[in-house]
Amino acid sequence: MEIEIATLGGYEEVGRQMTAVRAGEDIVIFDMGLNLSKVLIHDNVETESMHSLDLIDMGAIPDDRVMSELEGDVKAIVPTHGHLDHIAGIPKLAHRYDAPIVSAPYTIELVRQQIEDEGKFQVDNDLVKMKPGASMAIGDSEQVELEFVNVTHSIIDAINPVLHTPEGAVVYGLDKRLDHDPVIGDPVDMDRFREIGRQDEGVLAYIEDCTNAGSKGRTPSESYAKKHVEDTLKSMEDYTGGIIATTFSSHIARVKTLVEYAREIGRQPVLLGRSMEKYSGTAERLDFVDFQGDVGMYGHRKSVDRAFKRIMKEGKGNFLPIVTGHQGEPRAMLTRMGRGETPYEIDDGDKVVFSASVIPEPTNEGQRYQSEQLLRMQGARLYDDIHVSGHLREEGHYEMLQALQPQHPIPGHQTLKGRSPYVDLAKTQGYKLGRDVHVTQNGSTIQLVE
């Protein structure tokens, strides 16, 4: 059976992930993402009303024109998890393909919301939920099967899809960390990865996320981050002024931890910001998390301002606002607070806890710098990087190579420079660049089996 891989997005940058795998006449697309930094450099851009061709020209979503060169039909579109760099291109591109969108339940609900917000295209693809550990047949030949392996990441319900073919498995490894003690959900299923590496024809190709490939050691568990949050917030227990926390709105486990320790230091947690309300509200509605007690969630501008007025009236020392804006996004809540555009007044000595790292991209780094300076000018004390990454470091990559023993590692999710540490690691394990390890570009194809 012919096996061909089209690398459409995320192979020259961090963002707009999209990869297609052709097995015979059946094609499966993994991810359809957005490169948010390409949008943020423009003022007042509303992607919902833009044409896909304009977003492609901006470098914001994948250029999928190479798909016309693949000799087969798309049978499924499979987003691995709910981050925007993996799902936000779906409203712009999915309608081109007569195929269902298949993913884990939380991801499917986020995709549904993305489609509902779309203002340019009618997206009628079926939405199919499949839980981690489950499988489904692809195409009519019964020779190709799609399996979801449970992984842990900085968002709940993440999976690594595996396409089983007569020539071996193709494992799509974006995104994960090897967390054996997560705060929410099951641990990463390393046993299944080892089984896949040793069954039948083994692993033909392994497409891997190289975000932190150049970092030594292993990525700590989310339970480690939970302890870090606990230590940081309890060190402020006697402070009677304002404490503000910010994290990824999609990081439900971290939001849950912040809510828990806000209560332990005698403060009422309040979730503020549109995306904070969306991700946490969806997770609670689907029973992935139970925040318990009185947790306010406010997304619309007027309701947010009313919440801030209440906080100022009843005393900042009684509340812990958990807000969007850890990357310094211009319209996010923390940035507005830093500019003095909300009723919340930051006083000298107030604490701002960044339970997130800066995404290593120039736009984000510049915006975050500006946000920090605005906060410091008002006298805020900043607590930075109370966080663990959702991506593998060097030892995690080594463990995955040992578990899967792939014939062809394909590094992705990074620039050429960002992928080089992974290539170096693969070479120490007997792989050779150009023979086994494929360093590719957006819009390229790799013919693995002719």
Side-chain angles (χ1 to χ4, degrees):
M1 179 179 285
E2 289 188 5
I3 307 294
E4 186 177 15
I5 297 177
T7 55
L8 300 161
Y11 293 87
E12 297 176 17
E13 67 279 293
V14 179
R16 60 168 176 169
Q17 320 303 329
M18 184 173 174
T19 303
V21 178
R22 179 176 71 87
E25 296 180 353
D26 299 322
I27 300 171
V28 175
I29 294 173
F30 298 117
D31 290 334
M32 283 183 174
L34 173 77
N35 187 343
L36 190 59
S37 65
K38 296 293 185 180
V39 176
L40 291 176
I41 60 176
H42 301 278
D43 291 331
N44 300 318
V45 169
E46 298 290 342
T47 58
E48 295 86 353
S49 61
M50 293 182 65
H51 198 283
S52 54
L53 295 178
D54 294 325
L55 289 166
I56 288 171
D57 288 342
M58 287 170 56
I61 62 174
D63 185 346
D64 65 344
R65 283 175 293 188
V66 75
M67 290 294 295
S68 63
E69 300 175 13
L70 301 184
E71 297 181 359
D73 296 319
V74 175
K75 301 297 185 180
I77 299 166
V78 183
T80 54
H81 60 278
H83 284 152
L84 294 181
D85 60 330
H86 294 256
I87 67 169
I90 288 174
K92 301 298 180 182
L93 299 174
H95 66 280
R96 304 184 187 190
Y97 306 99
D98 183 16
I101 299 166
V102 184
S103 196
Y106 184 66
T107 307
I108 283 292
E109 184 56 32
L110 295 178
V111 168
R112 187 192 311 279
Q113 293 174 24
Q114 287 278 320
I115 290 172
E116 288 174 355
D117 291 340
E118 172 61 20
K120 191 73 175 178
F121 298 105
Q122 184 71 30
V123 182
D124 295 321
N125 305 64
D126 290 337
L127 300 181
V128 178
K129 298 176 183 177
M130 189 166 85
K131 292 185 177 181
S135 301
M136 65 181 291
I138 295 294
D140 300 323
S141 67
E142 298 185 356
Q143 290 184 290
V144 181
E145 186 179 65
L146 175 69
E147 176 186 1
F148 284 179
V149 178
N150 185 71
V151 297
T152 45
H153 186 41
S154 51
I155 189 171
I156 55 176
D157 223 18
I159 52 96
N160 273 182
V162 180
L163 198 65
H164 295 279
T165 81
E167 307 296 336
V170 177
V171 180
Y172 185 75
L174 280 58
D175 296 348
K176 63 178 172 295
R177 65 166 171 243
L178 306 186
D179 195 336
H180 300 280
D181 187 23
V183 170
I184 296 177
D186 295 325
V188 60
D189 194 350
M190 289 302 295
D191 288 342
R192 183 56 188 148
F193 280 129
R194 294 187 190 98
E195 290 173 356
I196 292 169
R198 287 154 180 78
Q199 71 183 29
D200 302 326
E201 300 299 321
V203 175
L204 175 65
Y206 176 43
I207 302 163
E208 180 57 292
D209 153 30
C210 294
T211 303
N212 288 339
S215 299
K216 296 179 181 178
R218 67 176 296 274
T219 307
S221 166
E222 181 61 24
S223 60
Y224 178 90
K226 182 175 182 177
K227 291 182 175 68
H228 198 178
V229 170
E230 178 186 19
D231 177 67
T232 301
L233 290 184
K234 286 188 174 179
S235 75
M236 306 172 183
E237 194 165 9
D238 296 331
Y239 183 65
T240 58
I243 303 174
I244 304 161
T246 182
T247 190
F248 295 91
S249 54
S250 59
H251 202 325
I252 304 303
R254 192 70 51 78
V255 173
K256 180 177 182 290
T257 294
L258 289 165
V259 166
E260 178 181 335
Y261 290 113
R263 291 198 179 105
E264 286 207 13
I265 63 171
R267 293 176 180 247
Q268 181 182 337
V270 186
L271 307 184
L272 299 170
R274 281 195 308 167
S275 59
M276 192 69 70
E277 181 186 43
K278 180 182 82 169
Y279 285 107
S280 291
T282 300
E284 193 165 41
R285 191 169 67 252
L286 297 180
D287 294 326
F288 282 96
V289 65
D290 181 3
F291 290 117
Q292 301 179 344
D294 182 20
V295 177
M297 296 185 195
Y298 306 101
H300 294 290
R301 180 71 62 92
K302 289 183 179 179
S303 61
V304 168
D305 284 349
R306 281 196 298 268
F308 276 139
K309 288 175 181 177
R310 178 190 166 206
I311 290 170
M312 294 302 297
K313 180 180 179 180
E314 297 183 15
K316 292 190 296 182
N318 297 315
F319 297 89
L320 180 70
I322 302 169
V323 302
T324 58
H326 55 87
Q327 299 296 310
E329 303 96 318
R331 289 177 286 178
M333 195 55 55
L334 185 63
T335 310
R336 290 183 57 225
M337 295 168 78
R339 289 197 299 255
E341 295 176 358
T342 75
Y344 190 100
E345 297 176 10
I346 298 174
D347 295 315
D348 190 50
D350 282 355
K351 322 296 184 187
V352 180
V353 177
F354 285 86
S355 191
S357 59
V358 183
I359 297 172
E361 196 279 331
T363 303
N364 292 319
E365 291 168 343
Q367 291 178 162
R368 170 67 175 267
Y369 175 81
Q370 288 182 320
S371 177
E372 289 184 3
Q373 296 312 303
L374 288 169
L375 293 166
R376 284 196 172 100
M377 287 169 63
Q378 297 189 55
R381 309 304 304 170
L382 308 187
Y383 292 70
D384 192 19
D385 205 20
I386 315 299
H387 184 58
V388 296
S389 174
H391 302 267
L392 299 177
R393 291 183 180 179
E394 183 178 6
E395 292 310 307
H397 288 300
Y398 172 79
E399 287 185 46
M400 286 304 302
L401 286 174
Q402 292 294 303
L404 294 174
Q405 300 181 11
Q407 296 178 46
H408 299 276
I410 303 173
H413 207 291
Q414 257 296 353
T415 62
L416 182 61
K417 180 180 178 181
R419 285 178 282 165
S420 62
Y422 187 84
V423 175
D424 291 339
L425 171 64
K427 287 165 68 175
T428 69
Q429 303 306 301
Y431 294 99
K432 184 176 179 180
L433 181 62
R435 183 192 68 192
D436 315 303
V437 183
H438 302 271
V439 177
T440 182
Q441 295 177 296
N442 296 337
S444 299
T445 58
I446 304 167
Q447 188 84 37
L448 292 179
V449 180
E450 297 182 2

